[in-house]
Amino acid sequence: MDQPRLTRWTGFAGSLLLAVSAWLGGALPDASLRTNPVKIWQGPNGPLLLSLWLVGTALLVWAWWRLRNEVPSARWVLLTVALWVLPMLFAAPFGSRDVYAYSCQGASFAAGISPYEQGVSALPCPWLDTISYIWRDTPAPYGPLFVVIAGAVVKATGSLTASIVVFRALALGGVVLTAYALPALARRCGVPPARALWLALACPLVAMHVIGGPHNDGLMVGVLVAGLAVVASRPGRRWPLLGGGVLLGLACAIKMTAVVVVPFAALAAIAGAFSIRSLIRDGGWVVGGAVATVVGVTYAGGLDFGWVGGLSEGGVAVAWTSPPTAVGQTVGQVARLFGWHVDALPVTRGIAVVLLAVLLVLLWFRAVRRPDPMYHAGLALALTVVLSPVVHPWYWIWPLTVLAATAPLRQQWYLVVALVSSFLILPDGTGLARYTKTPGAQLMTLLMIWTVVRLVRSARAERTPAPVD
């Protein structure tokens, strides 16, 4: 068997094992069953469940990594991705209970209650027992479009199982939209489309979490990439740029984190050299379309901007996968060695928010001087994930997809992050980071220090003029 065929069927075997592990012990509806890795091991089918998860993940990761630099064709990639996704389409929810929150928030909205003003316990949601206690009284962090969609799904189905099926179909639709739009963006950025498709869609996080979850990140990324592709393909053309802005606005209305790419899309919209006048003339259509769409969807749905407060609610989760959280944990652990009790998390997370704002501005000005604003859009998404107070593995789908189509071919750091992230969540949603605070937090802190030193040296090297003979 030749190497590509072996890779294809190895990945399929991995996905099949993961689907079986989901049925044996995935994120099933009963939220009262609090678990940890030890309880899972000691529970029914524990050793088999964990073995299937570990081997399945390893096979899927190996297959993806094996062909990261060369794939036969775009058609071959799409057929392979479809094969890998297929088992997870029929699996129980995998790695997260978010889909139950989607259903309950949709039920609240369908009943006339804004999920931005009250938690799902206010309905009460008919499936309230599926949601963990800490999320029952928190406002929804999702954009207005997704709240409206969730309400329509629940109203149309009236069933938790049917709602999960529809949410998974929406996630699949996002993957299909990405498959359609990503080649256009890749060609515009000088990246082979087949390679971009492989890195973005064959990534294990897609089958495991976007489809297996399922998560609305897949739908958001699909619309986002479509908007970027339209803008990149039609710089200086008013109506296409407006359409691209509308698509970006729809992505923001699903998950507001997509907003960080809009300023970079405005740069990509410019035909010719950069100037303030050209930015307003061309980029204004993108920004205007995005803002008008978010505002229009919000008020058309009878909602407000309460999702702003909901964005901070995720901070109740504490895991070293978020670098600001890891640094805060490390500071607290070091302080305890000297008998001090310091809660550094609010400080480190607050500093990260300010730092993110500063870095995004600096990154935008850097993009002004470069010919690759779409690549900088991918970096902006990566910074947003890195400096978030909570980082779930599927968040890396955002920058991974954009960078797959825009980053220089030699760059592979974002692939390593996705690879490691694939091993951090068990099928029932148990995050291994919660149980590895030591040495996880310390190692992440050291990694951040090393990364900052490397970036500072790189920036200095860029500013140092080359010697003249």
Side-chain angles (χ1 to χ4, degrees), residues 250-267:
L250 291 175
C252 295
I254 296 171
K255 274 195 135 173
M256 193 48 64
T257 45
V259 73
V260 299
V261 308
V262 174
F264 299 92
L267 283 178

mmCIF file with all atom_site columns, all heavy atoms in Angstrom, residues 250-267:
data_model
loop_
_atom_site.group_PDB
_atom_site.id
_atom_site.type_symbol
_atom_site.label_atom_id
_atom_site.label_alt_id
_atom_site.label_comp_id
_atom_site.label_asym_id
_atom_site.label_entity_id
_atom_site.label_seq_id
_atom_site.pdbx_PDB_ins_code
_atom_site.Cartn_x
_atom_site.Cartn_y
_atom_site.Cartn_z
_atom_site.occupancy
_atom_site.B_iso_or_equiv
_atom_site.pdbx_formal_charge
_atom_site.auth_seq_id
_atom_site.auth_comp_id
_atom_site.auth_asym_id
_atom_site.auth_atom_id
_atom_site.pdbx_PDB_model_num
ATOM 1   N N   . LEU A 1 250 ? -21.065 38.389 10.054 1.00 0.00 ? 250 LEU A N   1
ATOM 2   C CA  . LEU A 1 250 ? -21.801 37.185 10.454 1.00 0.00 ? 250 LEU A CA  1
ATOM 3   C C   . LEU A 1 250 ? -20.927 36.289 11.331 1.00 0.00 ? 250 LEU A C   1
ATOM 4   O O   . LEU A 1 250 ? -21.409 35.685 12.297 1.00 0.00 ? 250 LEU A O   1
ATOM 5   C CB  . LEU A 1 250 ? -22.263 36.421 9.217  1.00 0.00 ? 250 LEU A CB  1
ATOM 6   C CG  . LEU A 1 250 ? -23.353 37.101 8.372  1.00 0.00 ? 250 LEU A CG  1
ATOM 7   C CD1 . LEU A 1 250 ? -23.627 36.290 7.117  1.00 0.00 ? 250 LEU A CD1 1
ATOM 8   C CD2 . LEU A 1 250 ? -24.638 37.293 9.173  1.00 0.00 ? 250 LEU A CD2 1
ATOM 9   N N   . ALA A 1 251 ? -19.636 36.190 10.990 1.00 0.00 ? 251 ALA A N   1
ATOM 10  C CA  . ALA A 1 251 ? -18.719 35.401 11.824 1.00 0.00 ? 251 ALA A CA  1
ATOM 11  C C   . ALA A 1 251 ? -18.631 35.994 13.224 1.00 0.00 ? 251 ALA A C   1
ATOM 12  O O   . ALA A 1 251 ? -18.647 35.270 14.225 1.00 0.00 ? 251 ALA A O   1
ATOM 13  C CB  . ALA A 1 251 ? -17.337 35.351 11.181 1.00 0.00 ? 251 ALA A CB  1
ATOM 14  N N   . CYS A 1 252 ? -18.539 37.327 13.300 1.00 0.00 ? 252 CYS A N   1
ATOM 15  C CA  . CYS A 1 252 ? -18.508 37.997 14.614 1.00 0.00 ? 252 CYS A CA  1
ATOM 16  C C   . CYS A 1 252 ? -19.808 37.771 15.378 1.00 0.00 ? 252 CYS A C   1
ATOM 17  O O   . CYS A 1 252 ? -19.804 37.676 16.613 1.00 0.00 ? 252 CYS A O   1
ATOM 18  C CB  . CYS A 1 252 ? -18.275 39.493 14.437 1.00 0.00 ? 252 CYS A CB  1
ATOM 19  S SG  . CYS A 1 252 ? -16.669 39.937 13.732 1.00 0.00 ? 252 CYS A SG  1
ATOM 20  N N   . ALA A 1 253 ? -20.921 37.707 14.652 1.00 0.00 ? 253 ALA A N   1
ATOM 21  C CA  . ALA A 1 253 ? -22.217 37.513 15.299 1.00 0.00 ? 253 ALA A CA  1
ATOM 22  C C   . ALA A 1 253 ? -22.412 36.070 15.767 1.00 0.00 ? 253 ALA A C   1
ATOM 23  O O   . ALA A 1 253 ? -23.388 35.776 16.458 1.00 0.00 ? 253 ALA A O   1
ATOM 24  C CB  . ALA A 1 253 ? -23.344 37.911 14.344 1.00 0.00 ? 253 ALA A CB  1
ATOM 25  N N   . ILE A 1 254 ? -21.506 35.182 15.378 1.00 0.00 ? 254 ILE A N   1
ATOM 26  C CA  . ILE A 1 254 ? -21.517 33.819 15.912 1.00 0.00 ? 254 ILE A CA  1
ATOM 27  C C   . ILE A 1 254 ? -20.605 33.748 17.130 1.00 0.00 ? 254 ILE A C   1
ATOM 28  O O   . ILE A 1 254 ? -21.003 33.284 18.192 1.00 0.00 ? 254 ILE A O   1
ATOM 29  C CB  . ILE A 1 254 ? -21.070 32.805 14.842 1.00 0.00 ? 254 ILE A CB  1
ATOM 30  C CG1 . ILE A 1 254 ? -22.073 32.790 13.688 1.00 0.00 ? 254 ILE A CG1 1
ATOM 31  C CG2 . ILE A 1 254 ? -20.944 31.399 15.444 1.00 0.00 ? 254 ILE A CG2 1
ATOM 32  C CD1 . ILE A 1 254 ? -21.609 31.987 12.477 1.00 0.00 ? 254 ILE A CD1 1
ATOM 33  N N   . LYS A 1 255 ? -19.365 34.198 16.956 1.00 0.00 ? 255 LYS A N   1
ATOM 34  C CA  . LYS A 1 255 ? -18.412 34.309 18.067 1.00 0.00 ? 255 LYS A CA  1
ATOM 35  C C   . LYS A 1 255 ? -17.643 35.609 17.879 1.00 0.00 ? 255 LYS A C   1
ATOM 36  O O   . LYS A 1 255 ? -16.967 35.785 16.853 1.00 0.00 ? 255 LYS A O   1
ATOM 37  C CB  . LYS A 1 255 ? -17.456 33.119 18.098 1.00 0.00 ? 255 LYS A CB  1
ATOM 38  C CG  . LYS A 1 255 ? -17.979 31.913 18.842 1.00 0.00 ? 255 LYS A CG  1
ATOM 39  C CD  . LYS A 1 255 ? -16.884 30.922 19.151 1.00 0.00 ? 255 LYS A CD  1
ATOM 40  C CE  . LYS A 1 255 ? -16.992 30.452 20.575 1.00 0.00 ? 255 LYS A CE  1
ATOM 41  N NZ  . LYS A 1 255 ? -16.051 29.357 20.885 1.00 0.00 ? 255 LYS A NZ  1
ATOM 42  N N   . MET A 1 256 ? -17.719 36.484 18.870 1.00 0.00 ? 256 MET A N   1
ATOM 43  C CA  . MET A 1 256 ? -17.181 37.826 18.697 1.00 0.00 ? 256 MET A CA  1
ATOM 44  C C   . MET A 1 256 ? -15.663 37.863 18.581 1.00 0.00 ? 256 MET A C   1
ATOM 45  O O   . MET A 1 256 ? -15.099 38.869 18.156 1.00 0.00 ? 256 MET A O   1
ATOM 46  C CB  . MET A 1 256 ? -17.652 38.709 19.849 1.00 0.00 ? 256 MET A CB  1
ATOM 47  C CG  . MET A 1 256 ? -17.416 40.195 19.638 1.00 0.00 ? 256 MET A CG  1
ATOM 48  S SD  . MET A 1 256 ? -17.943 40.847 18.021 1.00 0.00 ? 256 MET A SD  1
ATOM 49  C CE  . MET A 1 256 ? -19.707 40.576 18.083 1.00 0.00 ? 256 MET A CE  1
ATOM 50  N N   . THR A 1 257 ? -14.970 36.785 18.920 1.00 0.00 ? 257 THR A N   1
ATOM 51  C CA  . THR A 1 257 ? -13.517 36.777 18.777 1.00 0.00 ? 257 THR A CA  1
ATOM 52  C C   . THR A 1 257 ? -13.077 36.974 17.327 1.00 0.00 ? 257 THR A C   1
ATOM 53  O O   . THR A 1 257 ? -11.940 37.383 17.072 1.00 0.00 ? 257 THR A O   1
ATOM 54  C CB  . THR A 1 257 ? -12.935 35.452 19.307 1.00 0.00 ? 257 THR A CB  1
ATOM 55  O OG1 . THR A 1 257 ? -13.727 34.363 18.834 1.00 0.00 ? 257 THR A OG1 1
ATOM 56  C CG2 . THR A 1 257 ? -12.929 35.429 20.824 1.00 0.00 ? 257 THR A CG2 1
ATOM 57  N N   . ALA A 1 258 ? -13.973 36.714 16.381 1.00 0.00 ? 258 ALA A N   1
ATOM 58  C CA  . ALA A 1 258 ? -13.642 36.909 14.970 1.00 0.00 ? 258 ALA A CA  1
ATOM 59  C C   . ALA A 1 258 ? -13.377 38.374 14.639 1.00 0.00 ? 258 ALA A C   1
ATOM 60  O O   . ALA A 1 258 ? -12.803 38.672 13.593 1.00 0.00 ? 258 ALA A O   1
ATOM 61  C CB  . ALA A 1 258 ? -14.772 36.368 14.088 1.00 0.00 ? 258 ALA A CB  1
ATOM 62  N N   . VAL A 1 259 ? -13.754 39.287 15.529 1.00 0.00 ? 259 VAL A N   1
ATOM 63  C CA  . VAL A 1 259 ? -13.637 40.716 15.230 1.00 0.00 ? 259 VAL A CA  1
ATOM 64  C C   . VAL A 1 259 ? -12.188 41.144 15.049 1.00 0.00 ? 259 VAL A C   1
ATOM 65  O O   . VAL A 1 259 ? -11.908 42.133 14.371 1.00 0.00 ? 259 VAL A O   1
ATOM 66  C CB  . VAL A 1 259 ? -14.318 41.553 16.344 1.00 0.00 ? 259 VAL A CB  1
ATOM 67  C CG1 . VAL A 1 259 ? -13.485 41.547 17.624 1.00 0.00 ? 259 VAL A CG1 1
ATOM 68  C CG2 . VAL A 1 259 ? -14.584 42.974 15.878 1.00 0.00 ? 259 VAL A CG2 1
ATOM 69  N N   . VAL A 1 260 ? -11.230 40.382 15.615 1.00 0.00 ? 260 VAL A N   1
ATOM 70  C CA  . VAL A 1 260 ? -9.838  40.821 15.538 1.00 0.00 ? 260 VAL A CA  1
ATOM 71  C C   . VAL A 1 260 ? -9.295  40.784 14.111 1.00 0.00 ? 260 VAL A C   1
ATOM 72  O O   . VAL A 1 260 ? -8.280  41.429 13.823 1.00 0.00 ? 260 VAL A O   1
ATOM 73  C CB  . VAL A 1 260 ? -8.928  39.978 16.469 1.00 0.00 ? 260 VAL A CB  1
ATOM 74  C CG1 . VAL A 1 260 ? -9.369  40.113 17.921 1.00 0.00 ? 260 VAL A CG1 1
ATOM 75  C CG2 . VAL A 1 260 ? -8.891  38.520 16.048 1.00 0.00 ? 260 VAL A CG2 1
ATOM 76  N N   . VAL A 1 261 ? -9.943  40.041 13.209 1.00 0.00 ? 261 VAL A N   1
ATOM 77  C CA  . VAL A 1 261 ? -9.429  39.965 11.838 1.00 0.00 ? 261 VAL A CA  1
ATOM 78  C C   . VAL A 1 261 ? -9.928  41.120 10.976 1.00 0.00 ? 261 VAL A C   1
ATOM 79  O O   . VAL A 1 261 ? -9.368  41.374 9.911  1.00 0.00 ? 261 VAL A O   1
ATOM 80  C CB  . VAL A 1 261 ? -9.809  38.627 11.160 1.00 0.00 ? 261 VAL A CB  1
ATOM 81  C CG1 . VAL A 1 261 ? -9.431  37.435 12.020 1.00 0.00 ? 261 VAL A CG1 1
ATOM 82  C CG2 . VAL A 1 261 ? -11.291 38.574 10.815 1.00 0.00 ? 261 VAL A CG2 1
ATOM 83  N N   . VAL A 1 262 ? -10.970 41.825 11.408 1.00 0.00 ? 262 VAL A N   1
ATOM 84  C CA  . VAL A 1 262 ? -11.588 42.856 10.564 1.00 0.00 ? 262 VAL A CA  1
ATOM 85  C C   . VAL A 1 262 ? -10.604 43.965 10.205 1.00 0.00 ? 262 VAL A C   1
ATOM 86  O O   . VAL A 1 262 ? -10.532 44.373 9.028  1.00 0.00 ? 262 VAL A O   1
ATOM 87  C CB  . VAL A 1 262 ? -12.855 43.411 11.244 1.00 0.00 ? 262 VAL A CB  1
ATOM 88  C CG1 . VAL A 1 262 ? -13.423 44.580 10.438 1.00 0.00 ? 262 VAL A CG1 1
ATOM 89  C CG2 . VAL A 1 262 ? -13.905 42.312 11.390 1.00 0.00 ? 262 VAL A CG2 1
ATOM 90  N N   . PRO A 1 263 ? -9.817  44.514 11.135 1.00 0.00 ? 263 PRO A N   1
ATOM 91  C CA  . PRO A 1 263 ? -8.868  45.568 10.737 1.00 0.00 ? 263 PRO A CA  1
ATOM 92  C C   . PRO A 1 263 ? -7.841  45.092 9.706  1.00 0.00 ? 263 PRO A C   1
ATOM 93  O O   . PRO A 1 263 ? -7.407  45.884 8.858  1.00 0.00 ? 263 PRO A O   1
ATOM 94  C CB  . PRO A 1 263 ? -8.190  45.945 12.063 1.00 0.00 ? 263 PRO A CB  1
ATOM 95  C CG  . PRO A 1 263 ? -9.152  45.537 13.128 1.00 0.00 ? 263 PRO A CG  1
ATOM 96  C CD  . PRO A 1 263 ? -9.807  44.300 12.597 1.00 0.00 ? 263 PRO A CD  1
ATOM 97  N N   . PHE A 1 264 ? -7.458  43.830 9.767  1.00 0.00 ? 264 PHE A N   1
ATOM 98  C CA  . PHE A 1 264 ? -6.493  43.303 8.801  1.00 0.00 ? 264 PHE A CA  1
ATOM 99  C C   . PHE A 1 264 ? -7.165  43.059 7.454  1.00 0.00 ? 264 PHE A C   1
ATOM 100 O O   . PHE A 1 264 ? -6.538  43.236 6.403  1.00 0.00 ? 264 PHE A O   1
ATOM 101 C CB  . PHE A 1 264 ? -5.870  42.025 9.353  1.00 0.00 ? 264 PHE A CB  1
ATOM 102 C CG  . PHE A 1 264 ? -5.132  42.238 10.643 1.00 0.00 ? 264 PHE A CG  1
ATOM 103 C CD1 . PHE A 1 264 ? -5.778  42.082 11.865 1.00 0.00 ? 264 PHE A CD1 1
ATOM 104 C CD2 . PHE A 1 264 ? -3.806  42.631 10.634 1.00 0.00 ? 264 PHE A CD2 1
ATOM 105 C CE1 . PHE A 1 264 ? -5.103  42.299 13.059 1.00 0.00 ? 264 PHE A CE1 1
ATOM 106 C CE2 . PHE A 1 264 ? -3.121  42.852 11.817 1.00 0.00 ? 264 PHE A CE2 1
ATOM 107 C CZ  . PHE A 1 264 ? -3.773  42.688 13.036 1.00 0.00 ? 264 PHE A CZ  1
ATOM 108 N N   . ALA A 1 265 ? -8.424  42.654 7.486  1.00 0.00 ? 265 ALA A N   1
ATOM 109 C CA  . ALA A 1 265 ? -9.167  42.516 6.232  1.00 0.00 ? 265 ALA A CA  1
ATOM 110 C C   . ALA A 1 265 ? -9.328  43.874 5.552  1.00 0.00 ? 265 ALA A C   1
ATOM 111 O O   . ALA A 1 265 ? -9.310  43.962 4.318  1.00 0.00 ? 265 ALA A O   1
ATOM 112 C CB  . ALA A 1 265 ? -10.540 41.890 6.509  1.00 0.00 ? 265 ALA A CB  1
ATOM 113 N N   . ALA A 1 266 ? -9.457  44.925 6.353  1.00 0.00 ? 266 ALA A N   1
ATOM 114 C CA  . ALA A 1 266 ? -9.552  46.271 5.778  1.00 0.00 ? 266 ALA A CA  1
ATOM 115 C C   . ALA A 1 266 ? -8.270  46.637 5.039  1.00 0.00 ? 266 ALA A C   1
ATOM 116 O O   . ALA A 1 266 ? -8.312  47.286 3.986  1.00 0.00 ? 266 ALA A O   1
ATOM 117 C CB  . ALA A 1 266 ? -9.845  47.287 6.888  1.00 0.00 ? 266 ALA A CB  1
ATOM 118 N N   . LEU A 1 267 ? -7.128  46.212 5.566  1.00 0.00 ? 267 LEU A N   1
ATOM 119 C CA  . LEU A 1 267 ? -5.864  46.444 4.862  1.00 0.00 ? 267 LEU A CA  1
ATOM 120 C C   . LEU A 1 267 ? -5.808  45.656 3.563  1.00 0.00 ? 267 LEU A C   1
ATOM 121 O O   . LEU A 1 267 ? -5.355  46.166 2.523  1.00 0.00 ? 267 LEU A O   1
ATOM 122 C CB  . LEU A 1 267 ? -4.687  46.038 5.759  1.00 0.00 ? 267 LEU A CB  1
ATOM 123 C CG  . LEU A 1 267 ? -4.294  46.985 6.890  1.00 0.00 ? 267 LEU A CG  1
ATOM 124 C CD1 . LEU A 1 267 ? -3.142  46.376 7.685  1.00 0.00 ? 267 LEU A CD1 1
ATOM 125 C CD2 . LEU A 1 267 ? -3.917  48.352 6.365  1.00 0.00 ? 267 LEU A CD2 1
#
